[in-house]
Every structure is written in C-alpha cells, then in structure tokens.
Amino acid sequence: MADIHEERIFWNDTFYAETFDFRGQVHFARFDRCTFVKCTIVLDSSAEQLAFTGCTFKDCNIDHIDADEARGIVVRDNFFDRPIAERKADFERRLAEALNRRLKS
C-alpha cells in the first residue's frame, strides 16, 4: 500500500477499461504521456494532487479535465478523442453524403 506522502508516477503507460476513482482523496499521482482507452475516470471537487500531462483519452467517460491550482490539479496538452460510436456514425454520414454527391454527378 502506498504511503500518503508517496507520489505515484505513470509514464507512457496504456490503461484499458479501468476505473480511476479519485473522489474525496489526496492522491499525489502523475500521469505523463499515458493513454486511457475505454476507461472511467471519476473526479469530484475534493480530489487533490493529480497531474495529467500529454495524455490521450480514447472512448472514455470524460471529454475534459479542469485544472485547479488550489487543489493541485495539473492538466496540460491532453487529447480527448471522440467516442468510437460517435466517430463511426460521423464516418457513415460522410460516406453516405459522398456517395449521394457521386450519384448526382
């Protein structure tokens, strides 16, 4: 078990379908250049001492994380990819439009 004063650093890790529950605790955790795929990330107003820098979130339950200097929440250069189902629907819509334009020509 991690000591309360121990900082956990994750660098260039990939997490698949994991749940990260940061509610109501001080975490002292950094995620640098990590990839989260289909993960559930739960943050509330009492979570403290977290850093997400250069991370990619693919098909997760969040589309942004707000930085908060007072709580020690650092958020920099992250990318939030649209959910896979949404991207697929957009691709199918654009494909149908392109086929319709081609048929009309």
Side-chain angles (χ1 to χ4, degrees):
M1 178 171 232
D3 184 16
I4 188 70
H5 300 291
E6 180 180 326
E7 183 175 9
R8 307 270 335 251
I9 299 173
F10 301 92
W11 182 78
N12 206 29
D13 286 332
T14 301
F15 303 97
Y16 293 98
E18 292 189 38
T19 299
F20 295 88
D21 188 351
F22 297 117
R23 292 179 291 187
Q25 297 177 13
V26 177
H27 292 279
F28 296 106
R30 291 188 60 90
F31 296 89
D32 298 319
R33 299 187 54 98
C34 291
T35 302
F36 298 86
V37 180
K38 293 187 177 186
C39 290
T40 301
I41 298 167
V42 184
L43 290 165
D44 68 0
S45 60
S46 59
E48 294 183 21
Q49 302 303 318
L50 291 167
F52 296 92
T53 59
C55 294
T56 300
F57 297 86
K58 296 181 179 186
D59 207 20
C60 293
N61 68 317
I62 59 172
D63 59 4
H64 76 284
I65 299 174
D66 295 323
D68 186 338
E69 189 175 315
R71 293 178 18 223
I73 307 291
V74 177
V75 180
R76 222 174 300 144
D77 302 326
N78 296 308
F79 177 74
F80 295 87
D81 205 358
R82 292 179 12 226
I84 293 170
E86 186 180 313
R87 290 189 319 228
K88 182 180 177 187
D90 183 49
F91 170 77
E92 290 173 352
R93 179 190 56 78
R94 288 185 293 122
L95 179 61
E97 288 173 358
L99 290 173
N100 283 337
R101 280 194 305 268
R102 190 172 194 189
L103 290 173
K104 289 180 182 180
S105 299

PDB file of all heavy atoms in Angstrom, residues 17 36-40 56-62 79-87:
ATOM      1  N   ALA A  17      -9.913  -0.109 -20.196  1.00  0.00           N
ATOM      2  CA  ALA A  17     -11.155  -0.423 -19.470  1.00  0.00           C
ATOM      3  C   ALA A  17     -10.967  -0.473 -17.956  1.00  0.00           C
ATOM      4  O   ALA A  17     -11.482  -1.358 -17.280  1.00  0.00           O
ATOM      5  CB  ALA A  17     -11.743  -1.727 -19.988  1.00  0.00           C
ATOM      6  N   PHE A  36      -5.438   6.347 -22.144  1.00  0.00           N
ATOM      7  CA  PHE A  36      -6.574   5.744 -21.457  1.00  0.00           C
ATOM      8  C   PHE A  36      -7.584   5.341 -22.524  1.00  0.00           C
ATOM      9  O   PHE A  36      -8.060   6.188 -23.281  1.00  0.00           O
ATOM     10  CB  PHE A  36      -7.219   6.744 -20.501  1.00  0.00           C
ATOM     11  CG  PHE A  36      -6.287   7.215 -19.410  1.00  0.00           C
ATOM     12  CD1 PHE A  36      -5.423   8.274 -19.621  1.00  0.00           C
ATOM     13  CD2 PHE A  36      -6.286   6.595 -18.173  1.00  0.00           C
ATOM     14  CE1 PHE A  36      -4.569   8.717 -18.624  1.00  0.00           C
ATOM     15  CE2 PHE A  36      -5.435   7.022 -17.164  1.00  0.00           C
ATOM     16  CZ  PHE A  36      -4.578   8.085 -17.394  1.00  0.00           C
ATOM     17  N   VAL A  37      -7.914   4.043 -22.613  1.00  0.00           N
ATOM     18  CA  VAL A  37      -8.846   3.546 -23.615  1.00  0.00           C
ATOM     19  C   VAL A  37     -10.034   2.905 -22.904  1.00  0.00           C
ATOM     20  O   VAL A  37      -9.868   1.974 -22.102  1.00  0.00           O
ATOM     21  CB  VAL A  37      -8.165   2.502 -24.536  1.00  0.00           C
ATOM     22  CG1 VAL A  37      -9.138   1.997 -25.580  1.00  0.00           C
ATOM     23  CG2 VAL A  37      -6.925   3.085 -25.186  1.00  0.00           C
ATOM     24  N   LYS A  38     -11.221   3.435 -23.176  1.00  0.00           N
ATOM     25  CA  LYS A  38     -12.471   2.944 -22.580  1.00  0.00           C
ATOM     26  C   LYS A  38     -12.404   2.920 -21.058  1.00  0.00           C
ATOM     27  O   LYS A  38     -12.905   2.013 -20.410  1.00  0.00           O
ATOM     28  CB  LYS A  38     -12.832   1.565 -23.120  1.00  0.00           C
ATOM     29  CG  LYS A  38     -13.195   1.568 -24.578  1.00  0.00           C
ATOM     30  CD  LYS A  38     -13.693   0.220 -25.024  1.00  0.00           C
ATOM     31  CE  LYS A  38     -14.097   0.326 -26.487  1.00  0.00           C
ATOM     32  NZ  LYS A  38     -14.721  -0.906 -26.961  1.00  0.00           N
ATOM     33  N   CYS A  39     -11.774   3.914 -20.476  1.00  0.00           N
ATOM     34  CA  CYS A  39     -11.637   3.997 -19.024  1.00  0.00           C
ATOM     35  C   CYS A  39     -12.727   4.886 -18.434  1.00  0.00           C
ATOM     36  O   CYS A  39     -13.271   5.754 -19.113  1.00  0.00           O
ATOM     37  CB  CYS A  39     -10.262   4.545 -18.647  1.00  0.00           C
ATOM     38  SG  CYS A  39      -8.920   3.400 -18.981  1.00  0.00           S
ATOM     39  N   THR A  40     -13.010   4.656 -17.175  1.00  0.00           N
ATOM     40  CA  THR A  40     -13.925   5.503 -16.420  1.00  0.00           C
ATOM     41  C   THR A  40     -13.083   6.280 -15.419  1.00  0.00           C
ATOM     42  O   THR A  40     -12.374   5.681 -14.603  1.00  0.00           O
ATOM     43  CB  THR A  40     -14.972   4.644 -15.685  1.00  0.00           C
ATOM     44  OG1 THR A  40     -15.690   3.874 -16.648  1.00  0.00           O
ATOM     45  CG2 THR A  40     -15.929   5.520 -14.898  1.00  0.00           C
ATOM     46  N   THR A  56      -3.672  10.884 -23.643  1.00  0.00           N
ATOM     47  CA  THR A  56      -4.712  10.689 -24.651  1.00  0.00           C
ATOM     48  C   THR A  56      -5.828   9.878 -24.020  1.00  0.00           C
ATOM     49  O   THR A  56      -5.586   8.829 -23.411  1.00  0.00           O
ATOM     50  CB  THR A  56      -4.153   9.933 -25.874  1.00  0.00           C
ATOM     51  OG1 THR A  56      -3.088  10.701 -26.431  1.00  0.00           O
ATOM     52  CG2 THR A  56      -5.229   9.733 -26.925  1.00  0.00           C
ATOM     53  N   PHE A  57      -7.055  10.376 -24.173  1.00  0.00           N
ATOM     54  CA  PHE A  57      -8.231   9.706 -23.639  1.00  0.00           C
ATOM     55  C   PHE A  57      -9.092   9.274 -24.826  1.00  0.00           C
ATOM     56  O   PHE A  57      -9.626  10.110 -25.548  1.00  0.00           O
ATOM     57  CB  PHE A  57      -9.018  10.650 -22.732  1.00  0.00           C
ATOM     58  CG  PHE A  57      -8.238  11.087 -21.518  1.00  0.00           C
ATOM     59  CD1 PHE A  57      -7.383  12.176 -21.582  1.00  0.00           C
ATOM     60  CD2 PHE A  57      -8.341  10.401 -20.327  1.00  0.00           C
ATOM     61  CE1 PHE A  57      -6.653  12.573 -20.472  1.00  0.00           C
ATOM     62  CE2 PHE A  57      -7.622  10.793 -19.213  1.00  0.00           C
ATOM     63  CZ  PHE A  57      -6.770  11.884 -19.286  1.00  0.00           C
ATOM     64  N   LYS A  58      -9.209   7.956 -25.031  1.00  0.00           N
ATOM     65  CA  LYS A  58      -9.969   7.421 -26.164  1.00  0.00           C
ATOM     66  C   LYS A  58     -11.177   6.663 -25.654  1.00  0.00           C
ATOM     67  O   LYS A  58     -11.043   5.707 -24.900  1.00  0.00           O
ATOM     68  CB  LYS A  58      -9.105   6.469 -26.993  1.00  0.00           C
ATOM     69  CG  LYS A  58      -7.920   7.128 -27.653  1.00  0.00           C
ATOM     70  CD  LYS A  58      -7.149   6.128 -28.466  1.00  0.00           C
ATOM     71  CE  LYS A  58      -5.967   6.807 -29.143  1.00  0.00           C
ATOM     72  NZ  LYS A  58      -5.284   5.900 -30.060  1.00  0.00           N
ATOM     73  N   ASP A  59     -12.344   7.109 -26.067  1.00  0.00           N
ATOM     74  CA  ASP A  59     -13.601   6.443 -25.730  1.00  0.00           C
ATOM     75  C   ASP A  59     -13.788   6.311 -24.221  1.00  0.00           C
ATOM     76  O   ASP A  59     -14.238   5.288 -23.722  1.00  0.00           O
ATOM     77  CB  ASP A  59     -13.674   5.073 -26.415  1.00  0.00           C
ATOM     78  CG  ASP A  59     -15.111   4.637 -26.671  1.00  0.00           C
ATOM     79  OD1 ASP A  59     -16.005   5.505 -26.687  1.00  0.00           O
ATOM     80  OD2 ASP A  59     -15.340   3.430 -26.845  1.00  0.00           O
ATOM     81  N   CYS A  60     -13.404   7.364 -23.487  1.00  0.00           N
ATOM     82  CA  CYS A  60     -13.578   7.387 -22.035  1.00  0.00           C
ATOM     83  C   CYS A  60     -14.864   8.136 -21.683  1.00  0.00           C
ATOM     84  O   CYS A  60     -15.520   8.707 -22.545  1.00  0.00           O
ATOM     85  CB  CYS A  60     -12.377   8.062 -21.371  1.00  0.00           C
ATOM     86  SG  CYS A  60     -10.847   7.115 -21.537  1.00  0.00           S
ATOM     87  N   ASN A  61     -15.188   8.166 -20.415  1.00  0.00           N
ATOM     88  CA  ASN A  61     -16.411   8.824 -19.970  1.00  0.00           C
ATOM     89  C   ASN A  61     -16.256  10.342 -19.825  1.00  0.00           C
ATOM     90  O   ASN A  61     -17.214  11.015 -19.459  1.00  0.00           O
ATOM     91  CB  ASN A  61     -16.851   8.246 -18.622  1.00  0.00           C
ATOM     92  CG  ASN A  61     -15.896   8.601 -17.499  1.00  0.00           C
ATOM     93  OD1 ASN A  61     -14.675   8.531 -17.672  1.00  0.00           O
ATOM     94  ND2 ASN A  61     -16.427   8.980 -16.357  1.00  0.00           N
ATOM     95  N   ILE A  62     -15.092  10.891 -20.116  1.00  0.00           N
ATOM     96  CA  ILE A  62     -14.865  12.332 -19.950  1.00  0.00           C
ATOM     97  C   ILE A  62     -14.415  12.953 -21.273  1.00  0.00           C
ATOM     98  O   ILE A  62     -13.847  12.282 -22.127  1.00  0.00           O
ATOM     99  CB  ILE A  62     -13.810  12.617 -18.861  1.00  0.00           C
ATOM    100  CG1 ILE A  62     -12.484  11.946 -19.213  1.00  0.00           C
ATOM    101  CG2 ILE A  62     -14.296  12.170 -17.503  1.00  0.00           C
ATOM    102  CD1 ILE A  62     -11.356  12.321 -18.295  1.00  0.00           C
ATOM    103  N   PHE A  79      -5.251  15.106 -25.025  1.00  0.00           N
ATOM    104  CA  PHE A  79      -6.104  14.943 -26.196  1.00  0.00           C
ATOM    105  C   PHE A  79      -7.268  14.030 -25.819  1.00  0.00           C
ATOM    106  O   PHE A  79      -7.066  12.929 -25.308  1.00  0.00           O
ATOM    107  CB  PHE A  79      -5.313  14.327 -27.352  1.00  0.00           C
ATOM    108  CG  PHE A  79      -6.145  14.071 -28.566  1.00  0.00           C
ATOM    109  CD1 PHE A  79      -6.550  15.117 -29.375  1.00  0.00           C
ATOM    110  CD2 PHE A  79      -6.534  12.784 -28.890  1.00  0.00           C
ATOM    111  CE1 PHE A  79      -7.332  14.889 -30.493  1.00  0.00           C
ATOM    112  CE2 PHE A  79      -7.305  12.545 -30.008  1.00  0.00           C
ATOM    113  CZ  PHE A  79      -7.706  13.595 -30.809  1.00  0.00           C
ATOM    114  N   PHE A  80      -8.476  14.523 -26.065  1.00  0.00           N
ATOM    115  CA  PHE A  80      -9.679  13.757 -25.778  1.00  0.00           C
ATOM    116  C   PHE A  80     -10.310  13.361 -27.106  1.00  0.00           C
ATOM    117  O   PHE A  80     -10.891  14.197 -27.800  1.00  0.00           O
ATOM    118  CB  PHE A  80     -10.662  14.592 -24.947  1.00  0.00           C
ATOM    119  CG  PHE A  80     -10.123  14.921 -23.577  1.00  0.00           C
ATOM    120  CD1 PHE A  80      -9.338  16.042 -23.374  1.00  0.00           C
ATOM    121  CD2 PHE A  80     -10.380  14.092 -22.503  1.00  0.00           C
ATOM    122  CE1 PHE A  80      -8.825  16.344 -22.126  1.00  0.00           C
ATOM    123  CE2 PHE A  80      -9.875  14.381 -21.246  1.00  0.00           C
ATOM    124  CZ  PHE A  80      -9.096  15.510 -21.064  1.00  0.00           C
ATOM    125  N   ASP A  81     -10.172  12.099 -27.464  1.00  0.00           N
ATOM    126  CA  ASP A  81     -10.723  11.581 -28.716  1.00  0.00           C
ATOM    127  C   ASP A  81     -12.221  11.360 -28.541  1.00  0.00           C
ATOM    128  O   ASP A  81     -12.680  10.953 -27.471  1.00  0.00           O
ATOM    129  CB  ASP A  81     -10.034  10.260 -29.070  1.00  0.00           C
ATOM    130  CG  ASP A  81     -10.070   9.966 -30.544  1.00  0.00           C
ATOM    131  OD1 ASP A  81     -10.663  10.750 -31.308  1.00  0.00           O
ATOM    132  OD2 ASP A  81      -9.490   8.936 -30.946  1.00  0.00           O
ATOM    133  N   ARG A  82     -12.969  11.627 -29.609  1.00  0.00           N
ATOM    134  CA  ARG A  82     -14.407  11.400 -29.557  1.00  0.00           C
ATOM    135  C   ARG A  82     -14.685   9.900 -29.390  1.00  0.00           C
ATOM    136  O   ARG A  82     -13.908   9.069 -29.828  1.00  0.00           O
ATOM    137  CB  ARG A  82     -15.053  11.908 -30.837  1.00  0.00           C
ATOM    138  CG  ARG A  82     -14.974  13.408 -30.920  1.00  0.00           C
ATOM    139  CD  ARG A  82     -15.576  14.015 -32.171  1.00  0.00           C
ATOM    140  NE  ARG A  82     -16.379  13.162 -32.990  1.00  0.00           N
ATOM    141  CZ  ARG A  82     -16.273  13.079 -34.316  1.00  0.00           C
ATOM    142  NH1 ARG A  82     -15.400  13.797 -34.960  1.00  0.00           N
ATOM    143  NH2 ARG A  82     -17.055  12.290 -35.005  1.00  0.00           N
ATOM    144  N   PRO A  83     -15.819   9.549 -28.770  1.00  0.00           N
ATOM    145  CA  PRO A  83     -16.152   8.133 -28.597  1.00  0.00           C
ATOM    146  C   PRO A  83     -16.198   7.400 -29.942  1.00  0.00           C
ATOM    147  O   PRO A  83     -16.579   7.971 -30.968  1.00  0.00           O
ATOM    148  CB  PRO A  83     -17.535   8.161 -27.950  1.00  0.00           C
ATOM    149  CG  PRO A  83     -17.596   9.486 -27.276  1.00  0.00           C
ATOM    150  CD  PRO A  83     -16.795  10.420 -28.137  1.00  0.00           C
ATOM    151  N   ILE A  84     -15.837   6.128 -29.922  1.00  0.00           N
ATOM    152  CA  ILE A  84     -15.780   5.330 -31.144  1.00  0.00           C
ATOM    153  C   ILE A  84     -17.123   5.300 -31.853  1.00  0.00           C
ATOM    154  O   ILE A  84     -17.188   5.444 -33.073  1.00  0.00           O
ATOM    155  CB  ILE A  84     -15.286   3.906 -30.821  1.00  0.00           C
ATOM    156  CG1 ILE A  84     -13.823   3.973 -30.367  1.00  0.00           C
ATOM    157  CG2 ILE A  84     -15.441   2.975 -32.014  1.00  0.00           C
ATOM    158  CD1 ILE A  84     -13.293   2.678 -29.796  1.00  0.00           C
ATOM    159  N   ALA A  85     -18.208   5.133 -31.121  1.00  0.00           N
ATOM    160  CA  ALA A  85     -19.540   5.081 -31.738  1.00  0.00           C
ATOM    161  C   ALA A  85     -19.851   6.400 -32.454  1.00  0.00           C
ATOM    162  O   ALA A  85     -20.415   6.406 -33.546  1.00  0.00           O
ATOM    163  CB  ALA A  85     -20.598   4.783 -30.686  1.00  0.00           C
ATOM    164  N   GLU A  86     -19.466   7.518 -31.845  1.00  0.00           N
ATOM    165  CA  GLU A  86     -19.697   8.832 -32.455  1.00  0.00           C
ATOM    166  C   GLU A  86     -18.858   9.002 -33.718  1.00  0.00           C
ATOM    167  O   GLU A  86     -19.330   9.504 -34.733  1.00  0.00           O
ATOM    168  CB  GLU A  86     -19.358   9.919 -31.441  1.00  0.00           C
ATOM    169  CG  GLU A  86     -19.689  11.316 -31.886  1.00  0.00           C
ATOM    170  CD  GLU A  86     -19.331  12.330 -30.827  1.00  0.00           C
ATOM    171  OE1 GLU A  86     -19.678  12.103 -29.646  1.00  0.00           O
ATOM    172  OE2 GLU A  86     -18.688  13.345 -31.174  1.00  0.00           O
ATOM    173  N   ARG A  87     -17.606   8.566 -33.685  1.00  0.00           N
ATOM    174  CA  ARG A  87     -16.745   8.661 -34.867  1.00  0.00           C
ATOM    175  C   ARG A  87     -17.262   7.775 -35.985  1.00  0.00           C
ATOM    176  O   ARG A  87     -17.236   8.150 -37.160  1.00  0.00           O
ATOM    177  CB  ARG A  87     -15.307   8.276 -34.516  1.00  0.00           C
ATOM    178  CG  ARG A  87     -14.626   9.284 -33.636  1.00  0.00           C
ATOM    179  CD  ARG A  87     -13.162   8.994 -33.484  1.00  0.00           C
ATOM    180  NE  ARG A  87     -12.922   7.571 -33.324  1.00  0.00           N
ATOM    181  CZ  ARG A  87     -12.158   7.039 -32.401  1.00  0.00           C
ATOM    182  NH1 ARG A  87     -11.533   7.797 -31.550  1.00  0.00           N
ATOM    183  NH2 ARG A  87     -11.990   5.743 -32.323  1.00  0.00           N
TER     184      ARG A  87
END
